[in-house]
Amino acid sequence: SAVISQKPSRDICQRGTSLTIQCQVDSQVTMMFWYRQQPGQSLTLIATANQGSEATYESGFVIDKFPISRPNLTFSTLTVSNMSPEDSSIYLCSVARNQETQYFGPGTRLLVL
Amino acid sequence: KNQVEQSPQSLIILEGKNCTLQCNYTVSPFSNLRWYKQDTGRGPVSLTIMTFSENTKSNGRYTATLDADTKQSSLHITASQLSDSASYICVVSRKAAGNKLTFGGGTRVLVKP
C-alpha cells in the first residue's frame, strides 16, 4: 500500500484567488493523478502528473486553470487558479505503482465564496 | 461509450442485516474492476480488485462477484455494522491509455442501529 497525505485538508477561499494543494507519498510511485469530486458526484480525473514534464490533462481541464507540478516521484502539487464558487469540490490525489491498484489520498475540501 | 452504472443510488439497512450492491459496465477493453469504500469527507479506500478471470473475491465481510460475460458485478455486505455507512464506488479499468479508470456514481449506504 501507500500512505498519502494532502495539505491543506480543507480551506475556504475568496473568488479570484488561487490555492495550491500538496500531495506527499511515503514511497516512490510510478503514477500520480489528480481528481475532483463535486458535491454528491463521483470522481472525475483532472490530469496525470508526470515527473519532470508537463501534466497530461483530461478533456475539459486546462493547464492555465489547474497547473500541476511533480518534481520527483513522491510529491506533486495542484493549483486551482482564479477560483469561482463552481470550483468548490473535494480534490483528491491518487498514486499507483503498477496498472492494478490505485490508492487515494484523504482529499482536500475546498469551499469558494 | 464507456460507462459504469450502479444501483441502487442509496439504501438504508438495519445493523446486522446483509445487502447487495449492483454494478453494470460497458467499459472496453476490460482490464479489472474495483470496489472502493468512501467514508464521508475521506478519500476512497480499495476493498477488492478483480481481473477478467476472477469471479469472486472477499475482504472480510465484503464479497465482490464479477460476471465478465454479462458485464455485471455485485458487492455483498454481510452482517452490516454502523461503520459500513459510506459510499461504495464501482470502478472499471480500461486496457488502454494507461489503464484509465471509469467511476460509477456510487451507492450511498446508511446502516441504522
Side-chain angles (χ1 to χ4, degrees):
Chain A
S1 66
V3 177
I4 306 166
S5 60
Q6 285 186 233
K7 287 183 183 179
S9 58
R10 58 178 61 217
D11 208 342
I12 301 173
C13 301
Q14 296 297 319
R15 69 172 68 208
T17 63
S18 298
L19 176 72
T20 295
I21 302 168
Q22 298 180 1
C23 175
Q24 180 75 55
V25 193
D26 67 337
S27 57
Q28 293 185 348
V29 291
T30 309
M31 293 170 278
M32 295 182 81
F33 307 92
W34 286 98
Y35 288 85
R36 180 174 72 183
Q37 187 175 28
Q38 294 180 303
Q41 311 250 338
S42 195
L43 283 74
T44 301
L45 179 64
I46 298 172
T48 302
N50 301 309
Q51 193 245 334
S53 65
E54 192 171 290
T56 306
Y57 289 85
E58 296 301 301
S59 175
F61 298 96
V62 295
I63 188 170
D64 290 345
K65 176 67 176 177
F66 297 102
I68 288 171
S69 79
R70 189 179 172 192
N72 56 50
L73 293 176
T74 63
F75 184 79
S76 178
T77 66
L78 168 75
T79 299
V80 187
S81 304
N82 189 24
M83 288 184 284
S84 66
E86 292 71 36
D87 294 320
S88 298
S89 281
I90 299 174
Y91 291 86
L92 295 131
C93 167
S94 79
V95 304
R97 289 195 185 87
N98 53 44
Q99 304 291 0
E100 296 229 329
T101 306
Q102 200 165 123
Y103 302 97
F104 288 86
T108 295
R109 190 180 291 264
L110 171 62
L111 176 63
V112 184
L113 302 177
Chain B
K1 189 177 178 183
N2 294 301
Q3 287 185 312
V4 177
E5 303 281 346
Q6 289 187 243
S7 62
Q9 277 192 316
S10 62
L11 73 120
I12 300 173
I13 58 174
L14 292 177
E15 187 178 13
K17 299 296 185 185
N18 304 334
C19 68
T20 301
L21 317 180
Q22 301 292 340
C23 173
N24 297 331
Y25 63 92
T26 58
V27 176
S28 181
F30 176 87
S31 178
N32 57 63
L33 183 145
R34 314 135 187 247
W35 282 94
Y36 284 89
K37 177 186 178 189
Q38 185 175 22
D39 292 310
T40 301
R42 313 287 286 271
V45 174
S46 179
L47 295 176
T48 64
I49 180 169
M50 288 182 291
T51 58
F52 187 87
S53 58
E54 296 173 296
N55 55 25
T56 186
K57 187 163 276 190
S58 291
N59 178 358
R61 294 179 296 100
Y62 301 103
T63 299
T65 66
L66 173 65
D67 185 334
D69 292 330
T70 61
K71 297 188 176 180
Q72 295 179 324
S73 175
S74 67
L75 180 70
H76 186 75
I77 305 175
T78 303
S80 60
Q81 299 177 359
L82 298 179
S83 59
D84 293 330
S85 296
S87 287
Y88 292 84
I89 307 172
C90 176
V91 184
V92 181
S93 173
R94 255 190 299 152
K95 243 184 215 176
N99 269 351
K100 282 216 180 131
L101 303 183
T102 303
F103 289 80
T107 294
R108 190 180 294 270
V109 174
L110 177 61
V111 181
K112 286 193 167 181

